Amino acid sequence: MVDETPLMRQYTEIKKDYQDSILFFRLGDFYEMFYEDAKIASKELGLTLTKRNKKMDVPLAGIPYHSASSYIAKLVNKGYKVAICEQVEDPKEVKGIVKREVIRVITPGTIIDTDYLDEKNNNYLMGILIKDKSIGISYVDITTGEFKTSKLEGKNLLYKLLGEINKVYPKEILIDEKSLNFLQGELQSNRILEKINITKVQTMRNPEKYLLEYFEIQSLDSFGIKNNDDIISVCAMVLKYVVDLQKGNELPIRKISYVSTEKIMELNLTTQRNLDIVENYNRNDSGTLLGVLDFCKNSMGSRYLKRILKNPTLDIDEIHRRQNDIEYFINEVLVREEVREKLKDIYDIERIIGKLTLETVNGRDLVALKESIKNILEIYKVLIKNNSNILDLDVEKLIDVYNLIDKVIIDEPPFSIREGGIIKPGYNEELDELRNIAEHGQDYLLKIETEEREKTGIKGLKIKYNKVFGYFIEITKANIDLVPDYYIRKQTLVNAERYIVPELKEYEDKILNAKNRISTLEYYLFKEIVGEIKNYIEMLQELSNKIAYLDVISNFAYIAIKNNYVKPEIVQEGEIEILGGRHPIVEKLIPAGEFVKNKVLLNENKDFIILTGPNMSGKSTYMKQIALIIIMAHIGSYVPADYAKISLVDKIFTRIGASDDLITGQSTFMLEMSEVANILNSATNRSFIILDEIGRGTSTFDGISIASAITEYIHDNIKAKTIFATHYHELTELGERLKRAANFRIEVQEKDNKIKFLREIVQGGADKSYGIEVARLAGLPKEILVNSKKILNILEERKDIIEQNFGVEQMMLFGNTPTLEIKKEEKKEKVETISEEEKRALSILREIDINNFTPMEALLKINELKKILN
Ligand code: ADP
């Protein structure tokens, strides 16, 4: 129902354009919410729901404007959009309704109040545009101005996209309807939507023009994205969204950085999760690589570390540069400690720059910037003195900024920029004069008070102040007879009367005016200085990158010493050799010194390791440790080993266990096979693959056959460096038969019918599965163990019979070589007695054109055939 009052008409008019947002409608000292907004706000924020107009029954909830930030943050973090509607006229100067406008809309991906953001994480808004053969993505953090874009191409685009989403980890995704329809199912089944909000948008007609106008440039060449339509579209889509929400407020976005995915190691969603790179997906709190590596002193450093960890570089020169810089800090212990100590006292300049542009900066931020510059210059001096040019600064410009702030802003300014007390004395003459009046006004009042006492002879005469009357003279009832004629009575109290005199009023105007003038002038001067510092924004943005880099590098040096890491030798191509390698996360979880070191060598002669060993013997730990060491080497870090030589790896793939299958709720076998299909489609001979227990989701014979077929495919066609862990000791036959494959096992010691894990990798395959011993270790009741031993013995006795009923290819897996003669005869017999279903399956089989089949399609076909036969 529509309220009749003009105010509510204004509200309805404004709300019309912000249907999808909660409208914070400014009324004096409050933001009010009405109707549905009020109901949501009262529920989400625990506010009392009242009614604005009893008759009209309008639900209302309100919050004081000065504490709005925390309420906004709460709503936005829950996924709501909040539109801030302000009074844009001075109520004192207008008759009737004050004009109101929405001045900003805040969404999860566009929060600008950094007080409510996690300092170690970027707050990204990500745009996605899915095309037939490529996907454009771009993401922006409007608190820092970082704006990046990439194009995903090639096979398995959706897998790549999921990997990118997980890397960027945006708070909000912008997507057009068509792309969303395509993606929704994937996002849901991979549980990506839990912490990410989706906003549907439309793509733009003329995106290139929009970008050129925003950046005020002639061509997109300088960003390296010219003629790249997908990227241009997705960048314009994201930029327009944030620009529109800011309603004309300037943004710190100064450029688009194009990130070529070719220069970055591909880590898909599953791999990021399996390796616990920055997040522990299993929530068993067993640590992450980021946790081991992040001892940065500064939030800019922590954010930078996270970024490079998710995007290991394939630029060998960049890796060498980082290694050299780390080496410097390893050798120069004192310099390192001094630098790290000072890094601690550098504020988050990156976010201060954002605030500068968004005009949300206050005096304290500027002082923080000044202090940071001082510390940075000190670091610079230390480094130069010690022959390092790792920090390359424009010292003059920095000193300029320092002086600008130092000259103007007092050392401990208040939080608010509207109430004065920010500008240093001596900076502005007019301000000094006004302050003089305001300060000495008090003395003057005392003077008037004394004079009036003398004139009237009333000893108890007092000058007081309240908001209604301003300054007045108060005289107790007992002295009323002595009050002179020219006193003008203003108010009568029980015991006293209050008067004013013209002189008092004149001065009052002066003092109050001065106070008002001071805050206005200080605000103006503050904004002026902000404007001047803004000229240095690009230099400051670069500066924050340099500081982040310095922090990460000195941190790597610190970690290398602390954790006893070595510098890996990085080569463009060739082998991966690690001696005395350790798992960086697991070694921290067990008592110091108890981790058993292991080696690995993968080269052109041997690039496929079949790793056998009982459950819990350490297979996954071993494989993951190699993957983690490879990643660490690619970000420039030293690694947990005695020696390491790492050739560049373009992609790491992992197919591990079943833990995440439970979470996503997909059929285990189907999920396993689609992941394997993705690996087989995407891996190259420069990739590193970990396969853990492939084929576990189906019966043993199926499992073994699929596992061996996959092994052969990778070995023969892809030639990626691969480690395949299995407790099917039957697979070791492949290790002997395939040319570049080798068998390794994790050594266990058997004594008195019990096993002890030695955790050591040795050449050769395991000859049995040890499942029952592991069950014993896990504490299964004794009678079950005894019984399963009996069953095992029976099965082993019947092995021959089972094998006779099975196909020749699978028997090969067990190391037997049955004569093909017999096999053929058997087949003949079988063909003669086939059922209708079998006939159907056979005819489907005959029609298949293998040349046009992907591995995934093949698997699906096999599945279909099996269904028919069952
Ligand atoms: P698997 O994959 O063979 O089932 P895991 O790799 O999960 O076994 O290892 C089981 C546990 O054994 C790990 O959680 C870890 O505590 C311990 N472990 C593994 N490798 C080592 C090692 N090299 N040194 C010490 N402990 C290890």
Side-chain angles (χ1 to χ4, degrees), residues 853-864:
F853 251 41
T854 65
M856 185 62 208
E857 282 165 341
L859 286 168
L860 290 174
K861 209 35 127 190
I862 293 176
N863 203 24
E864 186 190 325

Side-chain angles (χ1 to χ4, degrees), residues 586 590 594-596 598 614-621 759:
V586 174
I590 58 177
E594 282 191 13
F595 192 90
V596 180
N598 271 308
N615 284 333
M616 289 304 287
S617 60
K619 297 185 299 297
S620 343
T621 307
R759 316 265 182 231

